[in-house]
Amino acid sequence: MRLILDHKDLTDSFFEDTRLLGIMAPVKDYQFCWQLNNLFGFDFRINNDIEIQLTRKQRHYFFAVYEFAEKYNSLVHYLYNNQFDGEYLLPEFKHLDFLWLLKGDVVSDYALLQLINSLRTLKGVQLVVELTDEKIRNKEHLVF
C-alpha cells in the first residue's frame, strides 16, 4: 500500500487565515528588513530552518525567509525573497522582490490597508499589492 501526500490539502491548510502582500523594492533583503524593523518596531530575523529550497534545471536555489512573531497575539509575519540567482520563488510575479505573508491570526482589511500605506512610504518601495489565492499559481512554493 502506498500513501500519497496531498499537496493541495497541505497548501490549502497552510494558507487558511493568511494575507499575502507582494512588494517591489529593489533593495537587499537585510536592508529592507532593517527599514521594516525601524518603521514598525518589528524584529524581523532570518530563519534558516524555513528557508525555501527549489531545484530547477539541475541547480539548487535558496530563498531566504525572515520571520517576526508578534508578542500579544498569534500573528506571525514572514518575509520571503522572491529572487535568487536569476530564479523566482513565484515565477508568475517576476516583478516582485519580496512576498510578505501574515499568518496565524485574522488581519482585518483596515489593518492590511494601514500596513500597505505604511510600506509605500519606505525608501525604495515602488509597489505594494495584495496577492489573492486565485492570482498565485505556485503557492506551494511558499509552504515551509
Side-chain angles (χ1 to χ4, degrees):
M1 181 173 126
R2 281 182 42 194
L3 296 176
I4 297 172
L5 187 63
D6 187 343
H7 291 287
K8 184 179 176 349
D9 281 353
L10 185 70
T11 301
D12 288 347
S13 69
F14 180 85
F15 282 97
E16 231 171 75
D17 291 330
T18 62
R19 303 295 289 263
L20 182 65
L21 298 176
I23 302 164
M24 185 191 305
V27 296
K28 297 275 186 215
D29 53 5
Y30 59 87
Q31 292 171 321
F32 189 58
C33 284
W34 183 84
Q35 284 187 300
L36 295 176
N37 290 342
N38 282 334
L39 177 66
F40 295 111
F42 288 174
D43 189 20
F44 269 107
R45 301 275 175 115
I46 195 162
N47 184 340
N48 293 319
D49 294 336
I50 58 174
E51 174 182 76
I52 307 294
Q53 297 182 30
L54 296 179
T55 303
R56 294 196 183 123
K57 302 173 204 140
Q58 299 174 346
R59 286 192 57 206
H60 298 289
Y61 296 93
F62 305 93
F63 299 90
V65 180
Y66 291 78
E67 179 179 23
F68 167 69
E70 291 190 12
K71 277 191 176 111
Y72 303 108
N73 60 43
S74 53
L75 187 63
V76 183
H77 302 260
Y78 299 97
L79 188 74
Y80 299 77
N81 248 332
N82 191 39
Q83 302 178 44
F84 178 84
D85 202 21
E87 276 296 327
Y88 297 90
L89 187 57
L90 294 182
E92 62 269 35
F93 296 111
K94 288 182 178 173
H95 61 290
L96 298 176
D97 299 295
F98 301 101
L99 306 160
W100 185 331
L101 180 71
L102 296 94
K103 180 176 171 53
D105 209 341
V106 176
V107 177
S108 70
D109 289 343
Y110 177 74
L112 193 72
L113 188 60
Q114 280 188 305
L115 179 66
I116 289 170
N117 287 333
S118 295
L119 281 170
R120 288 180 175 151
T121 68
L122 286 175
K123 186 176 182 224
V125 172
Q126 299 170 356
L127 175 74
V128 183
V129 294
E130 182 175 11
L131 302 177
T132 53
D133 277 358
E134 357 14 293
K135 292 181 184 172
I136 307 168
R137 286 196 308 266
N138 295 289
K139 68 181 176 183
E140 68 278 359
H141 292 176
L142 300 177
V143 177
F144 42 80

